Amino acid sequence: MNNPISRKQFLQICGTVATGTAIVSVSGFSVRRMMRDEADHFWQIDPSKCTFCGRCETDCVLSVSAVKCIHANKVCGYCDLCGGYYRANVKDLNTAAENLMCPTGAIVRKYIEDPYFEYTIDENLCNGCGKCAKGCNSFGNGSLYLQVKQELCKNCNECKISKVCPAGAIQRVPANKAYMLKDA
Ligand code: SF4
Ligand code: SF4
Ligand code: SF4
C-alpha cells in the first residue's frame, strides 16, 4: 500500500522539482549561450602589440602552432636585403640555409625585377616562431607579422598562448572581424 503524504510534504517535493527544473533550464541556457559565444568569437593577435617573443610557437595546444606568419604585401618594400629573410650580419648574401632567418624554410623568395624580390610564406612549413617578423619589423617595413589561423585553431575556451603572452596581444574578437590584418 502506498504511504499517503501530507499537503506540506507535497508542496516541498513540488518546490524541489520546480527549483531543479529552473536550475537545469538556467544552466542549459548558460551552456547554449556559452557555446554560441564561442562559435561567434575567435582568438586573434593584435599586430600592433605583438613583440614576436616566440611563445606562439611553443605554447599552442597543437603540436604545430595554429599561429602562422602573414605577409602584408601592401606594406612590403620587396627589399633585396630583407630583414625577415636573411639573418642579421650575414657575411655572404646568398640563400645558403645558414644565412636564412627561417628555421623551417617556409619563406620563398622570388626575383621580380632589379632590385625587387617577392616573399611568400609556405604556411604548411611555418611554425609561428616569429623570427622573420621580428627581423622585418626591426630592419624592414614590418610587412611580416603573426596571426592565428582560424582554419587550424581549435578555438580553445581559453587560448593557452593568451595566458603567457607578455604583450597582452591575444584577444577574442567577433567572427565578423576575425582577421586583424595589417593592411586591411
Ligand atoms: S605570445 Fe604574444 S608577443 Fe609573443 S609572439 Fe605570440 S602574440 Fe606575439
Ligand atoms: S621564421 Fe618562423 S614565423 Fe617566419 S615563416 Fe619561418 S617558421 Fe614561420
Ligand atoms: S586557441 Fe588553442 S589552438 Fe588556437 S592558437 Fe590558442 S592554444 Fe592554439
Side-chain angles (χ1 to χ4, degrees), residues 4 7 19 23-24 39 46 48 55 61 69 77 90 96 120 141 161 174:
R7 177 181 158 77
T19 308
I23 289 168
V24 168
D46 182 341
S48 68
R55 304 297 293 264
V61 295
C69 177
V90 289
T120 49
N141 287 10
I161 307 169

Side-chain angles (χ1 to χ4, degrees), residues 110-124:
K110 184 175 143 198
Y111 174 75
I112 301 294
E113 63 178 35
D114 198 26
Y116 301 114
F117 288 81
E118 181 187 68
Y119 299 89
T120 49
I121 310 296
D122 184 340
E123 194 178 292
N124 293 323

